[in-house]
Amino acid sequence: MSRHPEVKWAQRVNEVYITVLLPDAKNAKVKLEPEGVFIFSASAGVDDNLYELKLNLFDKVNVEESKINIGVRSIFCIVDKAEKVWWKRLLREDGKAPHFVKVDWDKWVDEDEDTAGGNDLDLGGMDFSKFGGMEGMEGMGGMGGLGGMGGMGGLGGMGGMGGLGGMAGLGGMAGMEGLGGMGGMGDDGMGDFDDSDDEEQEVAKPEGDEKAEVGDAVKSEERKEAAPST
């Protein structure tokens, strides 16, 4: 069973403002007929509940000059009056309006205060489209599907940039360990250096022995000279 969305309205002498409050509406369809029939349908909510609405407006309207904006939280319509006069109420039927239809006090002005014909209304830079009948609006209703842009989450594939982690492959620079081979150069070079020291030590050793032998000979001669003759 369908539900009724909340509707707010206000007017100026030349136009009527109808706001359908339905956050995250999907497949929104809006149709406006010259006789003043306003039809709306959309789905919303976690369970995609169907919301429908049919309003018989107080008087005839100019469909071609009417505009609509489908936003994330609401659908806002500027309905151009066929006859530029102040309406007694929003709906054609006498009596109390349905509970879901309320006055939009944020946009409301009294008849004797309406001197700007709607030019006093701050629309916050809204982009509007012309009414083109139910069929023409179906595509716009798909704008609710912009939620599908969540598919852009696929950009998460950019996570593939994690492949930059492959730069860890620069660890291949560890191949510079080959530079450790320079240590090998140390093995050869240093080995030659050590051998050179050994050779010098071997050359120096005989000189030390020869000096020791000469020193012993001198001391021996000194002893002989110092010894008393017999």
Side-chain angles (χ1 to χ4, degrees), residues 7-89:
V7 177
K8 290 186 176 183
W9 79 286
Q11 67 172 316
R12 299 294 186 273
V13 68
N14 59 323
E15 56 196 20
V16 178
Y17 309 124
I18 298 177
T19 303
V20 180
L21 300 174
L22 190 62
D24 300 320
K26 302 175 184 177
N27 302 316
K29 301 176 183 178
V30 183
K31 183 177 181 180
L32 182 63
E33 299 178 352
E35 295 302 314
V37 179
F38 180 90
I39 302 172
F40 170 85
S41 69
S43 59
V46 178
D47 298 324
D48 285 334
N49 296 309
L50 177 63
Y51 290 81
E52 294 182 311
L53 185 68
K54 181 177 180 180
L55 302 175
N56 293 312
L57 303 180
F58 185 77
D59 206 347
K60 295 180 180 181
V61 300
N62 187 342
V63 177
E64 296 303 322
E65 295 301 320
S66 298
K67 298 178 289 186
I68 183 172
N69 170 272
I70 299 181
V72 176
R73 301 190 63 80
S74 63
I75 293 83
F76 179 61
C77 305
I78 299 179
V79 179
D80 190 69
K81 296 177 179 178
E83 187 177 356
K84 312 308 180 185
V85 295
W86 196 264
W87 288 2
K88 295 179 180 180
R89 53 186 178 273

Side-chain angles (χ1 to χ4, degrees), residues 33-192:
E33 299 178 352
E35 295 302 314
V37 179
F38 180 90
I39 302 172
F40 170 85
S41 69
S43 59
V46 178
D47 298 324
D48 285 334
N49 296 309
L50 177 63
Y51 290 81
E52 294 182 311
L53 185 68
K54 181 177 180 180
L55 302 175
N56 293 312
L57 303 180
F58 185 77
D59 206 347
K60 295 180 180 181
V61 300
N62 187 342
V63 177
E64 296 303 322
E65 295 301 320
S66 298
K67 298 178 289 186
I68 183 172
N69 170 272
I70 299 181
V72 176
R73 301 190 63 80
S74 63
I75 293 83
F76 179 61
C77 305
I78 299 179
V79 179
D80 190 69
K81 296 177 179 178
E83 187 177 356
K84 312 308 180 185
V85 295
W86 196 264
W87 288 2
K88 295 179 180 180
R89 53 186 178 273
L90 176 64
L91 304 179
R92 190 173 307 160
E93 297 84 1
D94 292 329
K96 187 177 180 180
H99 67 89
F100 55 84
V101 176
K102 303 176 181 179
V103 173
D104 190 343
W105 296 112
D106 291 333
K107 297 181 178 65
W108 187 269
V109 297
D110 291 330
E111 183 176 3
D112 57 354
E113 297 175 344
D114 181 16
T115 59
N119 294 325
D120 61 321
L121 192 64
D122 182 9
L123 299 177
M126 287 185 180
D127 292 325
F128 289 89
S129 299
K130 296 288 185 179
F131 272 94
M134 179 74 82
E135 296 75 19
M137 293 307 300
E138 287 180 2
M140 292 188 64
M143 291 179 70
L146 284 175
M149 289 181 73
M152 289 181 73
L155 286 174
M158 290 181 72
M161 290 182 70
L164 285 173
M167 289 182 70
L170 287 174
M173 289 181 70
M176 290 181 70
E177 290 171 354
L179 289 174
M182 292 180 68
M185 293 178 63
D187 292 337
D188 296 335
M190 293 292 289
D192 292 341

Side-chain angles (χ1 to χ4, degrees), residues 158-225:
M158 290 181 72
M161 290 182 70
L164 285 173
M167 289 182 70
L170 287 174
M173 289 181 70
M176 290 181 70
E177 290 171 354
L179 289 174
M182 292 180 68
M185 293 178 63
D187 292 337
D188 296 335
M190 293 292 289
D192 292 341
F193 185 77
D194 291 340
D195 291 343
S196 176
D197 287 344
D198 291 341
E199 290 174 357
E200 290 180 359
Q201 290 175 2
E202 290 174 358
V203 172
K205 186 175 180 180
E207 291 181 357
D209 293 341
E210 290 176 357
K211 290 179 180 179
E213 291 175 0
V214 172
D216 292 341
V218 171
K219 290 179 180 180
S220 177
E221 290 296 328
E222 291 176 349
R223 292 194 192 98
K224 289 180 182 180
E225 291 179 357

